[in-house]
Amino acid sequence: MDTASSARTRKSTRDENFPVASWLIASQYRAPILAFYEFVRTADDVADHPTLQPLEKLRLLDQLEASLLGHNDTEPVALPLRSILRERGLTPKHALDLLDAFRLDIRKARYSTWDELIDYCRLSAMPVGRYVLDVHGESEASWPANDALCAALQIINHLQDCGEDFRTLDRVYLPLDAMQAAGADVADLNAHRSSPGLRRCLAGLAARTENFLDPTSSFAGDIRDWRLSLEVSVIHRLALRLTQLLQHQDPLSRRVHIGRTSALGITISALARRMSAHSDRQGAHQVRI
């Protein structure tokens, strides 16, 4: 395989669990976000490729990095992002952190504790939100809330896909100590229905992720860009709903997701709440003046 792009699947933004550069985002920011998405999606597909050997995967990830940093033009998918970073004076660090996360996926397949999983999310999830904030010119003061939200989104994905991750990639993102405490075993992930112990483990991790989202409830209100704050508000509400579903539904026996009708209802509700909060804040500001 000559380039990383050859490993690219047909997966697009529509296949993701959460919105990516949706219509809520202002048009001038969509191209930078989509360029980042295409670069990261390609790297992810390399790391998850079913037949490539680990050394070949690492070589392709290194090739992506070299093209992103301008050392060569071998990887076409890196060129739009490289150009955007240069034109807008943005750092490549967030993309480089994600490449390190994919390298870690190739080398590491188990996580012993929750803290170890969060450390993985520092590379695999948090940089995504930080990049979007940078594109919008938001302050780094918003990073802690972003990091918590992005980590929660990543863990939700791990819970949803725990069976497939184990069967197809031999990866287990569920903390091993949590599995042991619940009376579950890694082999339980190979079944078509969760064992009682695995069910307890998944429900407990979903509840912990819901609690992890608590500090992010005011995140949208701290974002200056109005349209981005709306998108973050929607994502937050969708994430909360998924953690609740995962506490009661079995991701091994069924796909745990939010249907279109429910997603639309959650979106409308989140937008209404955000607009109401914004209106109240504007009114309070005028009274103070």
Short mmCIF file of all heavy atoms in Angstrom, two decimals, residues 141-171:
data_model
loop_
_atom_site.label_atom_id
_atom_site.label_comp_id
_atom_site.label_asym_id
_atom_site.label_seq_id
_atom_site.Cartn_x
_atom_site.Cartn_y
_atom_site.Cartn_z
N ALA A 141 -8.97 28.88 27.76
CA ALA A 141 -9.66 28.73 29.04
C ALA A 141 -10.82 27.73 28.92
O ALA A 141 -11.27 27.18 29.92
CB ALA A 141 -10.19 30.08 29.51
N SER A 142 -11.30 27.51 27.70
CA SER A 142 -12.41 26.57 27.49
C SER A 142 -11.93 25.14 27.32
O SER A 142 -12.75 24.22 27.21
CB SER A 142 -13.23 26.99 26.26
OG SER A 142 -12.41 27.00 25.10
N TRP A 143 -10.62 24.92 27.33
CA TRP A 143 -10.11 23.58 27.10
C TRP A 143 -10.51 22.55 28.17
O TRP A 143 -10.84 21.42 27.82
CB TRP A 143 -8.58 23.61 26.95
CG TRP A 143 -8.14 24.06 25.59
CD1 TRP A 143 -8.90 24.65 24.62
CD2 TRP A 143 -6.82 23.95 25.03
NE1 TRP A 143 -8.17 24.93 23.50
CE2 TRP A 143 -6.87 24.51 23.72
CE3 TRP A 143 -5.62 23.47 25.51
CZ2 TRP A 143 -5.75 24.57 22.90
CZ3 TRP A 143 -4.50 23.52 24.68
CH2 TRP A 143 -4.57 24.07 23.39
N PRO A 144 -10.48 22.87 29.46
CA PRO A 144 -10.86 21.84 30.44
C PRO A 144 -12.26 21.27 30.21
O PRO A 144 -12.45 20.04 30.29
CB PRO A 144 -10.75 22.59 31.77
CG PRO A 144 -9.72 23.63 31.52
CD PRO A 144 -9.98 24.09 30.11
N ALA A 145 -13.24 22.13 29.94
CA ALA A 145 -14.59 21.64 29.69
C ALA A 145 -14.63 20.85 28.38
O ALA A 145 -15.29 19.81 28.28
CB ALA A 145 -15.57 22.81 29.63
N ASN A 146 -13.92 21.35 27.37
CA ASN A 146 -13.82 20.63 26.11
C ASN A 146 -13.25 19.23 26.32
O ASN A 146 -13.75 18.24 25.79
CB ASN A 146 -12.93 21.40 25.14
CG ASN A 146 -12.44 20.54 23.98
OD1 ASN A 146 -13.13 20.33 23.00
ND2 ASN A 146 -11.22 20.01 24.10
N ASP A 147 -12.18 19.16 27.10
CA ASP A 147 -11.50 17.89 27.30
C ASP A 147 -12.42 16.86 27.96
O ASP A 147 -12.43 15.69 27.58
CB ASP A 147 -10.25 18.09 28.15
CG ASP A 147 -9.18 18.91 27.44
OD1 ASP A 147 -9.33 19.18 26.23
OD2 ASP A 147 -8.20 19.30 28.10
N ALA A 148 -13.20 17.31 28.94
CA ALA A 148 -14.12 16.40 29.62
C ALA A 148 -15.21 15.92 28.66
O ALA A 148 -15.55 14.72 28.63
CB ALA A 148 -14.75 17.09 30.82
N LEU A 149 -15.75 16.83 27.86
CA LEU A 149 -16.80 16.45 26.91
C LEU A 149 -16.24 15.49 25.87
O LEU A 149 -16.86 14.45 25.57
CB LEU A 149 -17.38 17.69 26.24
CG LEU A 149 -18.45 17.43 25.16
CD1 LEU A 149 -19.63 16.67 25.74
CD2 LEU A 149 -18.91 18.75 24.54
N CYS A 150 -15.09 15.80 25.30
CA CYS A 150 -14.52 14.95 24.25
C CYS A 150 -14.16 13.57 24.79
O CYS A 150 -14.35 12.56 24.11
CB CYS A 150 -13.29 15.62 23.63
SG CYS A 150 -13.70 17.04 22.58
N ALA A 151 -13.63 13.52 26.01
CA ALA A 151 -13.31 12.22 26.61
C ALA A 151 -14.59 11.41 26.79
O ALA A 151 -14.61 10.19 26.52
CB ALA A 151 -12.59 12.41 27.94
N ALA A 152 -15.65 12.06 27.23
CA ALA A 152 -16.92 11.36 27.42
C ALA A 152 -17.44 10.81 26.09
O ALA A 152 -17.93 9.68 26.02
CB ALA A 152 -17.95 12.30 28.05
N LEU A 153 -17.34 11.60 25.04
CA LEU A 153 -17.79 11.14 23.72
C LEU A 153 -17.00 9.92 23.28
O LEU A 153 -17.56 8.97 22.71
CB LEU A 153 -17.63 12.26 22.68
CG LEU A 153 -18.37 13.56 22.91
CD1 LEU A 153 -18.15 14.53 21.75
CD2 LEU A 153 -19.86 13.32 23.12
N GLN A 154 -15.69 9.94 23.53
CA GLN A 154 -14.85 8.81 23.15
C GLN A 154 -15.24 7.55 23.93
O GLN A 154 -15.34 6.46 23.36
CB GLN A 154 -13.38 9.15 23.43
CG GLN A 154 -12.40 8.03 23.12
CD GLN A 154 -12.14 7.90 21.63
OE1 GLN A 154 -11.31 8.58 21.06
NE2 GLN A 154 -12.87 6.99 20.99
N ILE A 155 -15.46 7.70 25.22
CA ILE A 155 -15.81 6.54 26.04
C ILE A 155 -17.19 5.99 25.64
O ILE A 155 -17.40 4.77 25.62
CB ILE A 155 -15.76 6.91 27.54
CG1 ILE A 155 -14.30 7.23 27.93
CG2 ILE A 155 -16.31 5.77 28.40
CD1 ILE A 155 -14.16 7.86 29.29
N ILE A 156 -18.11 6.88 25.30
CA ILE A 156 -19.42 6.43 24.81
C ILE A 156 -19.23 5.56 23.57
O ILE A 156 -19.84 4.50 23.43
CB ILE A 156 -20.33 7.64 24.51
CG1 ILE A 156 -20.78 8.29 25.81
CG2 ILE A 156 -21.54 7.22 23.67
CD1 ILE A 156 -21.44 9.63 25.62
N ASN A 157 -18.37 6.01 22.66
CA ASN A 157 -18.09 5.21 21.46
C ASN A 157 -17.52 3.84 21.82
O ASN A 157 -17.87 2.82 21.23
CB ASN A 157 -17.11 5.95 20.55
CG ASN A 157 -17.75 7.11 19.81
OD1 ASN A 157 -18.97 7.16 19.65
ND2 ASN A 157 -16.95 8.05 19.36
N HIS A 158 -16.61 3.83 22.81
CA HIS A 158 -16.02 2.56 23.23
C HIS A 158 -17.08 1.62 23.80
O HIS A 158 -17.03 0.40 23.55
CB HIS A 158 -14.94 2.81 24.29
CG HIS A 158 -13.72 3.49 23.78
ND1 HIS A 158 -13.24 3.32 22.49
CD2 HIS A 158 -12.84 4.35 24.39
CE1 HIS A 158 -12.14 4.03 22.34
NE2 HIS A 158 -11.89 4.66 23.46
N LEU A 159 -18.01 2.17 24.57
CA LEU A 159 -19.07 1.33 25.14
C LEU A 159 -19.99 0.81 24.05
O LEU A 159 -20.37 -0.37 24.05
CB LEU A 159 -19.87 2.13 26.17
CG LEU A 159 -19.10 2.60 27.41
CD1 LEU A 159 -20.01 3.45 28.30
CD2 LEU A 159 -18.56 1.42 28.20
N GLN A 160 -20.34 1.66 23.09
CA GLN A 160 -21.21 1.24 22.00
C GLN A 160 -20.57 0.14 21.16
O GLN A 160 -21.25 -0.78 20.72
CB GLN A 160 -21.52 2.43 21.09
CG GLN A 160 -22.46 3.47 21.69
CD GLN A 160 -22.60 4.68 20.77
OE1 GLN A 160 -21.60 5.33 20.45
NE2 GLN A 160 -23.80 4.95 20.35
N ASP A 161 -19.27 0.24 20.95
CA ASP A 161 -18.57 -0.64 20.00
C ASP A 161 -17.73 -1.70 20.69
O ASP A 161 -16.88 -2.32 20.05
CB ASP A 161 -17.67 0.19 19.09
CG ASP A 161 -18.43 1.23 18.28
OD1 ASP A 161 -19.64 1.03 18.06
OD2 ASP A 161 -17.82 2.24 17.87
N CYS A 162 -17.94 -1.94 21.98
CA CYS A 162 -17.04 -2.82 22.73
C CYS A 162 -16.96 -4.22 22.14
O CYS A 162 -15.87 -4.81 22.09
CB CYS A 162 -17.43 -2.86 24.20
SG CYS A 162 -19.10 -3.50 24.53
N GLY A 163 -18.08 -4.76 21.68
CA GLY A 163 -18.05 -6.10 21.09
C GLY A 163 -17.30 -6.13 19.78
O GLY A 163 -16.45 -7.01 19.55
N GLU A 164 -17.59 -5.19 18.91
CA GLU A 164 -16.93 -5.15 17.60
C GLU A 164 -15.44 -4.88 17.75
O GLU A 164 -14.62 -5.47 17.03
CB GLU A 164 -17.58 -4.07 16.73
CG GLU A 164 -17.00 -3.99 15.33
CD GLU A 164 -17.66 -2.93 14.47
OE1 GLU A 164 -18.59 -2.26 14.97
OE2 GLU A 164 -17.24 -2.76 13.32
N ASP A 165 -15.07 -3.97 18.66
CA ASP A 165 -13.65 -3.67 18.88
C ASP A 165 -12.89 -4.94 19.27
O ASP A 165 -11.76 -5.17 18.81
CB ASP A 165 -13.48 -2.63 19.98
CG ASP A 165 -13.83 -1.22 19.52
OD1 ASP A 165 -13.83 -0.98 18.30
OD2 ASP A 165 -14.10 -0.37 20.39
N PHE A 166 -13.51 -5.77 20.11
CA PHE A 166 -12.83 -6.99 20.56
C PHE A 166 -12.78 -8.03 19.44
O PHE A 166 -11.73 -8.62 19.17
CB PHE A 166 -13.54 -7.57 21.77
CG PHE A 166 -12.94 -8.86 22.25
CD1 PHE A 166 -11.67 -8.87 22.83
CD2 PHE A 166 -13.62 -10.06 22.12
CE1 PHE A 166 -11.10 -10.06 23.27
CE2 PHE A 166 -13.06 -11.25 22.56
CZ PHE A 166 -11.79 -11.25 23.14
N ARG A 167 -13.91 -8.23 18.77
CA ARG A 167 -13.96 -9.29 17.76
C ARG A 167 -13.13 -8.99 16.53
O ARG A 167 -12.51 -9.89 15.96
CB ARG A 167 -15.42 -9.54 17.36
CG ARG A 167 -16.26 -10.22 18.44
CD ARG A 167 -17.61 -10.63 17.89
NE ARG A 167 -18.44 -9.48 17.55
CZ ARG A 167 -19.28 -8.88 18.38
NH1 ARG A 167 -19.39 -9.34 19.63
NH2 ARG A 167 -20.01 -7.86 18.00
N THR A 168 -13.10 -7.73 16.10
CA THR A 168 -12.41 -7.41 14.85
C THR A 168 -10.99 -6.89 15.04
O THR A 168 -10.16 -7.04 14.15
CB THR A 168 -13.21 -6.36 14.05
OG1 THR A 168 -13.29 -5.14 14.80
CG2 THR A 168 -14.62 -6.86 13.74
N LEU A 169 -10.71 -6.27 16.21
CA LEU A 169 -9.41 -5.65 16.41
C LEU A 169 -8.67 -6.17 17.64
O LEU A 169 -7.52 -5.76 17.88
CB LEU A 169 -9.58 -4.12 16.54
CG LEU A 169 -10.21 -3.41 15.34
CD1 LEU A 169 -10.60 -1.98 15.72
CD2 LEU A 169 -9.25 -3.40 14.15
N ASP A 170 -9.33 -7.03 18.43
CA ASP A 170 -8.77 -7.52 19.69
C ASP A 170 -8.37 -6.36 20.60
O ASP A 170 -7.36 -6.40 21.29
CB ASP A 170 -7.55 -8.43 19.45
CG ASP A 170 -7.09 -9.12 20.73
OD1 ASP A 170 -7.96 -9.44 21.57
OD2 ASP A 170 -5.86 -9.30 20.90
N ARG A 171 -9.22 -5.33 20.61
CA ARG A 171 -8.99 -4.19 21.50
C ARG A 171 -10.08 -4.16 22.56
O ARG A 171 -11.26 -4.37 22.25
CB ARG A 171 -9.00 -2.87 20.72
CG ARG A 171 -7.81 -2.67 19.81
CD ARG A 171 -7.78 -1.27 19.26
NE ARG A 171 -6.96 -1.20 18.05
CZ ARG A 171 -7.21 -0.42 17.02
NH1 ARG A 171 -8.27 0.38 17.05
NH2 ARG A 171 -6.41 -0.42 15.97
#
